Amino acid sequence: MKNKIKVLCVDDSALIRSLMTEIINSQPDMEVVATAPDPLVARDLIKKINPDVLTLDIEMPRMDGLEFLEKLMRLRPMPVLMVSTLTERGSEITMRALELGAVDFVTKPRLGIREALLDYTDLIADKIRAAASAKIQRLLVKTVAPGSSTDGVKNVSAIAQTPLLGSALMITEKLIIIGASTGGTEAIRHVLESLPPDSPGILIAQHMPPGFTKSFAQRLDSLCRIKVKEAVHGERILPGHAYIAPGGYHLSLTRSGANYVTHVDQEEPVNRHRPSVDVLFDSAAKYAGKNAIGVILTGMGRDGAAGLLKMRQAGAYTLAQDEASCVVFGMPREAIMLNAANEVKPLAEISSSIVMHLMSFGAGRNRV
């Protein structure tokens, strides 16, 4: 029999520790091996029991969760699932936790805690399974300020200086469509901050609950040369802009005359997700066809795989992140198995692959 996933729960609330233990121990493939009321107790327990996954609260006595996470990922990297409060400050701190190396997060309800957390049982269990299989690195990708000099940004900037790229990227019928889940917030950042400011319009579906996508978009907007915002219904999609599906809403593409336009709704979840990557990719296949570039990044499950295949069949250029660079190689693997990807690339090469495709597209038009 396969060993159970060993989980250490760290939270200053005895109620939360008890509920997390009840939820996790109800699953056949995982168990809580210890709990801790603060990071200092957790530090000693990690050395003693060597857990597979840590669930970590953010606001705790003696040492807050972010400080502990930063030390942990530097000195003893391991899969961490954050337990975050659904507040504006909480969402900003959660984005920072993901940047520091947390695999994912779950929201801690403010009212009706017991009932709400028990309703999350399947979600929490899935996230713990994903965390247990995630690739964790000691050296994290550092945040790059706009204009900073790193290999990835430097390569794209050099290409962007050529006249060919500028003429290609301003062609407004081209679109970039991106889908991701577990590990996707940092993967998306890596892709977007390496794209030039005259990129085609970009639509993004990242599995994320309500209340967090606004902070995610604001953070990306501060780091990237393109404009990044949370999508609203019925807005025209502009070059140099990226639109992120709001948490709890599907984002899809439609047309109004010659213009691409966003469609945002709360139709039923697809593949258990809202936003769903398949919903976005299906709409891109229908309305953008060969003018779209589809990208599927790290994530648990299969959402987006069938949609990416539809995009490829409609003539789109499609990319999947490779296994070695994924935090969780679920969604890209499913897409690759369906032969939905024209190319499979490491995360570090996806932006340059997008740019090179746009350059070749522009060159082809210039020859006509």
Side-chain angles (χ1 to χ4, degrees):
M1 181 179 176
K2 188 176 180 180
N3 291 334
K4 291 186 177 183
I5 300 167
K6 298 186 297 181
V7 183
L8 169 60
C9 295
V10 187
D11 200 296
D12 63 330
S13 165
L15 174 60
I16 296 295
R17 295 196 303 272
S18 174
L19 287 173
M20 291 293 285
T21 299
E22 181 179 345
I23 289 168
I24 292 165
N25 287 349
S26 70
Q27 304 298 307
D29 58 341
M30 61 186 70
E31 63 179 337
V32 173
V33 290
T35 63
D38 64 58
L40 298 186
V41 174
R43 181 185 60 192
D44 295 333
L45 286 170
I46 289 171
K47 295 175 184 176
K48 182 178 178 181
I49 64 177
N50 192 30
D52 300 310
V53 176
L54 186 75
T55 69
L56 179 63
D57 189 17
I58 289 176
E59 297 181 356
M60 289 180 291
R62 300 214 283 176
M63 181 187 295
D64 70 51
L66 276 187
E67 183 182 354
F68 180 61
L69 177 66
E70 188 168 11
K71 293 178 184 296
L72 184 70
M73 299 309 291
R74 188 175 71 248
L75 302 173
R76 203 278 190 198
M78 64 179 296
V80 176
L81 180 67
M82 303 303 295
V83 181
S84 171
T85 53
L86 182 53
T87 63
E88 183 174 353
R89 180 172 180 270
S91 63
E92 292 169 355
I93 293 172
T94 301
M95 291 301 104
R96 175 61 179 157
L98 295 174
E99 181 182 349
L100 290 172
V103 174
D104 208 340
F105 67 95
V106 292
T107 55
K108 182 191 296 185
R110 303 178 73 182
L111 299 172
I113 292 177
R114 177 177 176 81
E115 294 75 16
L117 261 187
L118 290 175
D119 285 343
Y120 289 173
T121 293
D122 290 342
L123 177 66
I124 291 170
D126 284 345
K127 287 179 181 284
I128 288 173
R129 291 185 189 103
S133 65
K135 296 185 183 72
I136 307 299
Q137 298 181 1
R138 184 181 303 273
L139 298 176
L140 303 176
V141 178
K142 293 183 179 180
T143 298
V144 179
S148 295
S149 184
T150 69
D151 288 342
V153 175
K154 190 183 299 180
N155 289 341
V156 176
S157 298
I159 296 172
Q161 293 172 6
T162 67
L164 179 61
L165 181 65
S167 63
L169 290 184
M170 288 307 294
I171 298 168
T172 56
E173 66 262 32
K174 277 290 184 181
L175 289 177
I176 301 168
I177 314 294
I178 300 174
S181 184
T182 312
T185 56
E186 286 304 288
I188 289 168
R189 175 190 64 80
H190 192 88
V191 172
L192 293 193
E193 70 180 6
S194 298
L195 290 175
D198 56 350
S199 296
I202 303 167
L203 297 183
I204 299 167
Q206 160 72 45
H207 294 162
M208 194 173 280
F212 290 87
T213 43
K214 182 178 179 181
S215 291
F216 180 42
Q218 289 173 341
R219 174 173 167 264
L220 290 175
D221 187 58
S222 71
L223 296 171
C224 301
R225 287 171 289 180
I226 58 175
K227 174 71 177 175
V228 185
K229 67 187 298 289
E230 194 178 48
V232 297
H233 180 70
E235 63 185 323
R236 182 184 170 193
I237 298 167
L238 300 173
H241 288 63
Y243 306 84
I244 295 176
Y249 289 79
H250 291 304
L251 171 63
S252 55
L253 174 69
T254 188
R255 276 188 177 270
S256 177
N259 298 319
Y260 291 122
V261 177
T262 59
H263 182 90
V264 176
D265 65 56
Q266 284 192 302
E267 294 295 322
E268 289 299 308
V270 174
N271 302 319
R272 299 197 306 167
H273 294 289
R274 191 175 61 205
S276 163
V277 180
D278 267 332
V279 168
L280 177 57
F281 283 179
D282 287 353
S283 68
K286 180 177 180 180
Y287 289 105
K290 65 181 181 181
N291 288 318
I293 297 172
V295 182
I296 192 163
L297 300 172
T298 173
M300 175 179 63
R302 62 176 62 237
D303 187 33
L308 194 72
L309 178 60
K310 288 183 181 179
M311 288 186 68
R312 185 175 185 184
Q313 291 170 338
Y317 170 67
T318 56
L319 287 161
Q321 186 177 349
D322 75 348
E323 181 174 7
S325 65
C326 279
V327 173
V328 177
F329 189 55
M331 289 161 46
R333 178 184 60 224
E334 295 293 330
I336 293 165
M337 289 174 63
L338 290 177
N339 197 31
N342 290 106
E343 294 191 82
V344 179
K345 293 285 187 178
L347 179 61
E349 296 179 17
I350 286 177
S351 296
S352 58
S353 295
I354 291 170
V355 169
M356 292 304 292
H357 177 75
L358 290 167
M359 288 179 65
S360 64
F361 175 78
R365 286 179 60 96
N366 291 340
R367 286 195 298 267
V368 175

